Amino acid sequence: HLHPNRNFRNLLVNGKRPCRTHDFFCLGSRQAVSVPSGAQKITLQNAGLGRRKVVFSCKGTALDVKTKLESVFPKLKAGGGFELLRSGSPSSKLSLITPPSGGYSVAFLRNASGLGQALAYIRPLQKDLDMLENQSTEQVSGYKTSLNETTAP
């Protein structure tokens, strides 16, 4: 729930005013053709994929969109490119959002993609993404901590 704030217009993202906020869901398989099940969504989320809200600058180019999505979903870099999809008819099936010749720019996503507020799915093009869970251990001051155990390096 957003709280009205007069200064929101002045908020900068990477030195630029935000323009487009959209929800994306990163899939792990280049062969995915349907919306993931509940269990699959949890597995994807635990692997650092799944659903995230992404904020773009107003004049973001296709390269800006690619760079931003790869920063939000770092494993996407290993996929050899990506394509965007949306749920279609029936709603469990995914439909490709055909990119324009210049790629998926912010203007395209906002005006011509037909996405509206629909969740955009990201599918890797050439290679399935690593589905290993993100590590739950943290490196803290040279000590590895997992749950309540602390061990010296």
Side-chain angles (χ1 to χ4, degrees), residues 74-107:
K75 292 181 179 182
L76 192 56
K77 292 177 189 171
F82 63 87
E83 51 195 0
L84 298 179
L85 305 101
R86 63 169 293 152
S87 59
S89 183
S91 61
S92 62
K93 295 293 176 198
L94 295 174
S95 304
L96 178 65
I97 298 169
T98 306
S101 59
Y104 298 110
S105 66
V106 173

Side-chain angles (χ1 to χ4, degrees), residues 41-69:
K41 287 178 181 179
I42 291 169
T43 300
L44 288 161
Q45 205 70 40
N46 289 340
L49 305 174
R51 188 174 184 147
R52 299 267 195 294
K53 187 175 291 293
V54 182
V55 180
F56 299 101
S57 65
C58 287
K59 299 188 189 281
T61 64
L63 180 59
D64 294 334
V65 170
K66 175 184 181 290
T67 301
K68 182 68 169 187
L69 290 176

Side-chain angles (χ1 to χ4, degrees), residues 15-33:
K16 299 175 185 171
R17 202 176 101 240
C19 180
R20 176 81 174 157
T21 300
H22 203 88
D23 286 345
F24 287 85
F25 192 101
C26 189
L27 303 163
S29 171
R30 58 185 161 69
Q31 297 173 340
V33 294

